[in-house]
Amino acid sequence: MTEATTLYIIRHGKTMFNTIGRTQGWSDTPLTKQGEEGIYHLGLGLRDIDFKEAYSSDSGRAMQTAQIILQEHQNHQKIPYLTDKRIREWCFGSLDGGYDGELFYGVLPRTDAFQGKDLHEVTYPELAQGILDVDTAGWAEPWEVLRKRI
């Protein structure tokens, strides 16, 4: 019989782009002071959890978040920590760094993938197709690539 595993999933702390309403994807901005403080307090709350290992994506904001949390842990020097690029956020290609409102309520609703649907009615494959349709650099991830990665 195998031992049960508890998985804790934590989103990175608030970043500069979160603060000004920009899409991050693979673009990377550091945590703000407020983001660092929130993660610090989360780390205090998790300090007694018996973590076996810790992972984050290789984005700076995710690594910064993990390091703040682990630094507060009672056994931080004994917890293996690894980064893995497969757990990065969605790559929006040339749309990374754009304003959230312009992307999700301006550009994407005009694509064929949306076909008059509200943002909240669109499936992830449809959203990915819409992003691909407007990514001028050709860097955005197709749904199948993202689905396999996550």
Side-chain angles (χ1 to χ4, degrees):
M1 191 162 158
T2 59
E3 186 179 323
T5 299
T6 301
L7 178 65
Y8 292 83
I9 299 175
I10 299 166
R11 187 176 188 273
H12 61 78
K14 189 173 189 175
T15 66
M16 289 171 48
F17 270 15
N18 295 146
T19 302
I20 61 174
R22 289 188 176 258
T23 304
Q24 274 184 133
W26 283 12
S27 296
D28 210 6
T29 59
L31 302 185
T32 61
K33 184 73 174 162
Q34 181 184 16
E36 289 177 349
E37 289 172 3
I39 293 301
Y40 166 77
H41 290 288
L42 178 61
L44 291 177
L46 297 172
R47 72 180 317 144
D48 296 326
I49 302 294
D50 186 23
F51 291 120
K52 304 293 185 223
E53 49 200 16
Y55 297 89
S56 79
S57 78
D58 59 350
S59 72
R61 62 189 180 267
M63 293 187 299
Q64 187 180 4
T65 297
Q67 290 164 358
I68 292 169
I69 290 170
L70 291 174
Q71 187 62 40
E72 297 310 315
H73 198 276
Q74 64 178 349
N75 295 321
H76 73 272
Q77 294 176 330
K78 296 179 182 177
I79 301 171
Y81 167 62
L82 299 166
T83 61
D84 190 326
K85 67 181 181 180
R86 294 175 300 176
I87 52 178
R88 286 181 186 167
E89 292 186 38
W90 195 332
C91 179
F92 295 110
S94 62
L95 304 170
D96 270 13
Y99 285 104
D100 293 339
E102 290 176 5
L103 175 60
F104 294 108
Y105 298 103
V107 174
L108 288 176
R110 296 180 187 157
T111 64
D112 290 341
F114 276 59
Q115 297 182 0
K117 294 180 184 176
D118 180 76
L119 175 64
H120 303 289
E121 299 170 331
V122 175
T123 66
Y124 286 119
E126 291 169 332
L127 179 59
Q129 188 58 53
I131 292 167
L132 285 173
D133 290 347
V134 295
D135 174 26
T136 57
W139 299 334
E141 288 182 290
W143 174 248
E144 284 305 310
V145 170
L146 178 64
R147 187 182 66 78
K148 288 177 184 175
R149 184 167 62 79
I150 58 172

